[in-house]
Amino acid sequence: MEALDILEKRIDALNNILGTNEGESSDMRENLTDSLMSANTLITSATSGREKVSEMMKRTNELETYLDPEFLNDQQNLKTKEVYINTVANDLATSFESLQKIKSLEPTLGAEYFRNIPDVTEKIKEMNENLSTCQQQNDIIEESLMIAMQRYSEIQSDLRDKLQKMNERLDNFQDRVEQAKKKASNE
């Protein structure tokens, strides 16, 4: 409260200099005191938030970034990249482990006995071509066997039908022979 007392004394001194009446002095003093108190409160509140304002001013670049119309597209691109990285993360980890193993085996792989291995790539290519030719021939043979089996099945069913008809004819012929014998024995 000392600061208020000092201010009040200063206001009285100003009133004396201005030459105001004693009655006016007390009303004016109260008005000036109230004005000074409210000004003090405003100044205090303005300066108390100064730290937050300075922090906010430091983040203006960030605010401008958020207000940029391309910010949403950039965020979506980042999300897409994040999803892609999460998708291939396991493959990358496996590849990394494989590379580490290869790196640790590199001295062994570079040994002299590995250098003396003959180049058989041409033979492997030739064997691969022969294998594909054999595969094609096997497919043709398999297809012809399927056709032959279907034809055999058709012939077998046709033969069965013919044998059944022949059997029926023989049964009919035998029945007629027996009827003829009965007729001949009855006469």
Side-chain angles (χ1 to χ4, degrees):
M1 289 304 267
E2 285 180 26
L4 289 177
D5 290 336
I6 293 172
L7 284 175
E8 193 173 339
K9 288 178 184 177
R10 289 181 87 187
I11 291 171
D12 285 339
L14 284 173
N15 282 335
N16 289 335
I17 292 172
L18 291 175
T20 57
N21 299 354
E22 188 64 36
E24 291 176 1
S25 165
S26 65
D27 288 338
M28 191 174 203
R29 188 180 320 140
E30 288 175 15
N31 285 341
L32 282 176
T33 305
D34 290 340
S35 297
L36 285 175
M37 290 294 286
S38 66
N40 183 33
T41 306
L42 288 173
I43 290 172
T44 305
S45 66
T47 57
S48 68
R50 193 177 93 231
E51 297 85 21
K52 290 183 181 178
V53 170
S54 64
E55 286 178 29
M56 188 177 71
M57 291 305 289
K58 289 177 185 175
R59 297 185 67 187
T60 55
N61 291 336
E62 186 179 342
L63 180 62
E64 287 177 10
T65 302
Y66 290 138
L67 293 176
D68 185 14
E70 292 296 315
F71 176 73
L72 184 60
N73 292 335
D74 292 342
Q75 287 297 97
Q76 289 174 341
N77 289 339
L78 286 175
K79 287 289 184 192
T80 304
K81 289 177 184 176
E82 182 181 345
V83 167
Y84 175 74
I85 288 172
N86 287 334
T87 303
V88 297
N90 291 335
D91 294 337
L92 288 175
T94 305
S95 298
F96 180 74
E97 290 173 5
S98 298
L99 286 173
Q100 291 296 348
K101 286 179 184 176
I102 290 171
K103 198 170 195 175
S104 67
L105 294 173
E106 190 174 20
T108 305
L109 293 174
E112 187 64 34
Y113 52 87
F114 282 115
R115 290 186 193 146
N116 294 332
I117 294 176
D119 186 18
V120 292
T121 54
E122 289 301 319
K123 286 186 179 183
I124 291 174
K125 286 179 184 177
E126 183 181 321
M127 289 173 66
N128 194 18
E129 289 173 5
N130 290 340
L131 182 63
S132 65
T133 304
C134 287
Q135 181 67 32
Q136 290 172 353
Q137 291 174 350
N138 284 343
D139 290 343
I140 291 170
I141 291 171
E142 184 179 345
E143 187 177 329
S144 62
L145 281 174
M146 293 295 290
I147 292 170
M149 288 184 352
Q150 286 176 348
R151 182 68 184 137
Y152 174 77
S153 177
E154 290 171 3
I155 292 171
Q156 188 180 17
S157 65
D158 188 41
L159 186 60
R160 192 179 326 119
D161 291 342
K162 286 181 181 179
L163 285 174
Q164 191 173 7
K165 286 179 184 178
M166 192 186 295
N167 194 22
E168 288 173 3
R169 281 189 207 156
L170 281 174
D171 286 343
N172 286 341
F173 180 71
Q174 196 174 17
D175 286 342
R176 280 188 285 171
V177 169
E178 286 181 18
Q179 287 175 359
K181 281 185 188 179
K182 281 184 187 179
K183 251 186 189 183
S185 63
N186 285 341
E187 291 182 1

